[in-house]
Amino acid sequence: MIYLDHAASTPLSAAVRTRMQHLLKEEFANPSSLHAPARAARKVIEETRELVAVALGGRPDEVVFTSGGTESDNLAILGAARKRRSIGRTKVVVSAIEHHAVLDAAAALVPDGFEVVLAPVSRDGVVEIEALSELVDDSTALVSVMTANNETGVIQPIDEVQEIAHARGALVHTDAVQALAWMDISPHAADLVSVSAHKLGGPKGVGALLVRRGTKLEPLVHGGGQERGMRPGTLNTVGIGGFGAALDDILGNRPTLTSRVSAFRNQLQNDLLKLGGVHVSGAKAERLPGHLHVCVEGIESDTLLVLLDAASVCASSASACSSGASEASHVLKAMGIDSRLSRGALRLSLGYSTQLADVEAAATAIESAVTRLRVSK
Ligand code: PLP
């Protein structure tokens, strides 16, 4: 199997699997209890909390564990907006290329009287800073711009976003779910940062939201007061421990991994360009090293994916949540890519487990599938 869908989810790394197997057996106690086994479980959680804080440039007491990126995004958007309504801030500005976890959470605020405004992006998928600047005003509760896009991998100017938003008293949220595996996001100082374990070799169903000191949120769920009341519920010791093992791996190996994977990605990109009629999305922008998103002329991505699957190549057309929906991607629409071209969208996402042989075999399989589809038209 040639797995090039790391942006959808990564395989569990060996270190994560070993850690989780150990924790499943040993750390069953409720980490909120007071006895020795509970304290051992609590230690696992607090060690991961420190790693998340280091990775995100925050303090351990600013980390709130969640069930993943979707929940972190919802907690950030809904929690911050609802809290700020009482001070007259009822506008939310989000980029047009956000993940649905952000877009749909923002849309859910509209019936409660919030105004939600989409900030446009350039042809290369980068948020237009000037346009964003005109949208943010004194009534803005929150601005949400992702650190890097999940479809194209295009990295966003979050420092500039932050400057604009903070100058007008708005909070900043960034969805760093895709970026965390590849980028040091610790120097950026968004008020709210979402991450998820399964994009970096960790388990699904675990994530975190960094809630910078002084940032107030209305919780989405109510209960036993865990996570300083912001996300009550018994903590998932095994999943959080797995997240910690994944972070341990990433924080030590990121520079080596990044240069290896970007070389593979560039090779794959060059091979695909030789096919002709292949357009790299976000080609002129800075992209995450593992992402390669192309629109291939003269083919339909659904059919291409079926042929690739038959050749044991796992890829996708858009984000995993919307592929299969056969509707044009909102990200490509926002970039102004016409619908005829976006029908041939293909996302190949490389990761820590990708080898040179994978990209060579994938290039051959894609070339043969595209040629077959073009001939049969
Ligand atoms: N945000 C982005 C940018 C993503 O790519 C994803 C997952 O694909 C999510 C949020 C949702 O994360 P999770 O699958 O952990 O809920």
Side-chain angles (χ1 to χ4, degrees), residues 52 127 141 176 183 237 254 298 336:
V52 176
V127 167
M183 286 171 65
T237 311
R254 197 156 41 195

Side-chain angles (χ1 to χ4, degrees), residues 7-8 67-71 73 98-102 146 148-151 175-178 194-199 204-207 319-321 347:
S67 65
T70 301
E71 187 188 338
D73 286 344
E98 291 302 305
H99 190 274
H100 277 292
V102 167
M146 65 207 318
N149 182 258
N150 44 303
E151 290 184 33
D175 174 335
V177 167
Q178 293 289 335
S194 300
V195 289
S196 176
H198 74 106
K199 310 290 186 182
K204 279 162 266 297
V206 187
S319 68
C321 328
R347 181 184 72 179

Side-chain angles (χ1 to χ4, degrees), residues 66-67 76 83 116 142 159-161 165 183 196-197 200 216 218 222 233 249 258 274 292 297 299 308 330 351 369:
T66 66
S67 65
K83 197 77 185 177
V116 174
L142 177 77
D159 286 341
E160 291 168 60
V161 170
M183 286 171 65
S196 176
L200 43 125
K216 303 254 181 299
E218 212 170 278
H222 302 273
D249 258 4
T258 298
K274 286 184 200 141
L292 175 57
E297 284 176 24
I299 61 131
L308 291 181
H330 68 281

Side-chain angles (χ1 to χ4, degrees), residues 6-360:
H6 288 79
S9 198
T10 50
L12 277 193
S13 76
V16 170
R17 196 169 49 242
T18 307
R19 182 93 202 278
M20 290 179 73
Q21 277 165 343
H22 167 80
L23 295 174
L24 264 174
K25 190 157 161 267
E26 304 295 336
E27 305 301 357
F28 60 88
N30 188 322
S32 297
S33 297
L34 291 176
H35 42 70
R39 289 199 303 277
R42 172 58 65 183
K43 187 163 175 277
V44 171
I45 288 160
E46 296 315 318
E47 282 169 358
T48 302
R49 200 187 297 284
E50 284 193 18
L51 285 172
V52 176
V54 168
L56 303 186
R59 301 160 37 119
D61 64 4
E62 295 174 327
V63 174
V64 174
F65 286 112
T66 66
S67 65
T70 301
E71 187 188 338
S72 297
D73 286 344
N74 273 264
L75 179 56
I77 304 284
L78 299 172
R82 288 174 182 158
K83 197 77 185 177
R84 307 201 90 205
R85 179 216 292 272
S86 62
I87 52 166
R89 289 188 176 261
T90 54
K91 187 181 194 181
V92 173
V93 179
V94 302
S95 91
I97 55 162
E98 291 302 305
H99 190 274
H100 277 292
V102 167
L103 288 175
D104 294 4
L109 289 163
V110 173
D112 294 336
F114 283 90
E115 181 192 4
V116 174
V117 188
L118 298 185
V121 297
S122 68
R123 176 84 191 177
D124 268 305
V126 182
V127 167
E128 303 267 25
I129 284 296
E130 273 181 31
L132 179 108
S133 175
E134 280 169 23
L135 299 174
V136 182
D137 58 26
D138 292 348
S139 72
T140 307
L142 177 77
V143 178
S144 181
V145 174
M146 65 207 318
T147 314
N149 182 258
N150 44 303
E151 290 184 33
T152 61
V154 170
I155 296 169
Q156 302 300 319
I158 50 170
D159 286 341
E160 291 168 60
V161 170
Q162 222 153 270
E163 220 170 278
I164 291 165
H166 284 169
R168 286 152 214 179
L171 291 177
V172 176
H173 166 247
T174 191
D175 174 335
V177 167
Q178 293 289 335
L180 181 61
W182 306 110
M183 286 171 65
D184 178 9
I185 44 187
S186 63
H188 310 292
D191 304 291
L192 298 151
V193 185
S194 300
V195 289
S196 176
H198 74 106
K199 310 290 186 182
L200 43 125
K204 279 162 266 297
V206 187
L209 179 67
L210 186 84
V211 183
R212 202 79 60 184
R213 272 191 150 200
T215 306
K216 303 254 181 299
L217 294 185
E218 212 170 278
L220 301 183
V221 289
H222 302 273
Q226 292 92 338
E227 300 299 89
R228 290 174 290 128
M230 277 188 263
R231 206 282 190 168
T234 303
L235 286 154
N236 173 3
T237 311
V238 177
I240 291 171
F243 189 8
L247 276 171
D248 239 347
D249 258 4
I250 288 293
L251 294 176
N253 298 323
R254 197 156 41 195
T256 328
L257 183 67
T258 298
S259 63
R260 194 183 78 217
V261 169
S262 64
F264 292 167
R265 191 272 309 273
N266 294 345
Q267 177 173 332
L268 185 55
Q269 176 172 314
N270 290 338
D271 285 345
L272 296 192
L273 286 172
K274 286 184 200 141
L275 285 172
V278 171
H279 305 263
V280 177
S281 314
K284 296 203 193 83
E286 205 187 336
R287 284 176 290 153
L288 294 179
H291 271 70
L292 175 57
H293 186 285
V294 292
C295 291
V296 186
E297 284 176 24
I299 61 131
E300 301 281 334
S301 28
D302 288 356
T303 339
L304 176 61
L305 289 177
V306 171
L307 290 184
L308 291 181
D309 187 31
S312 301
V313 176
C314 309
S316 65
S317 54
S319 68
C321 328
S322 34
S323 57
S326 75
E327 203 184 279
S329 136
H330 68 281
V331 175
L332 301 185
K333 265 193 211 161
M335 290 164 72
I337 296 176
D338 81 71
S339 59
R340 213 160 32 91
L341 195 53
S342 68
R343 262 189 245 134
L346 175 67
R347 181 184 72 179
L348 301 155
S349 49
L350 289 59
Y352 75 88
S353 63
T354 307
Q355 301 297 322
L356 180 59
D358 294 327
V359 295
E360 288 172 348

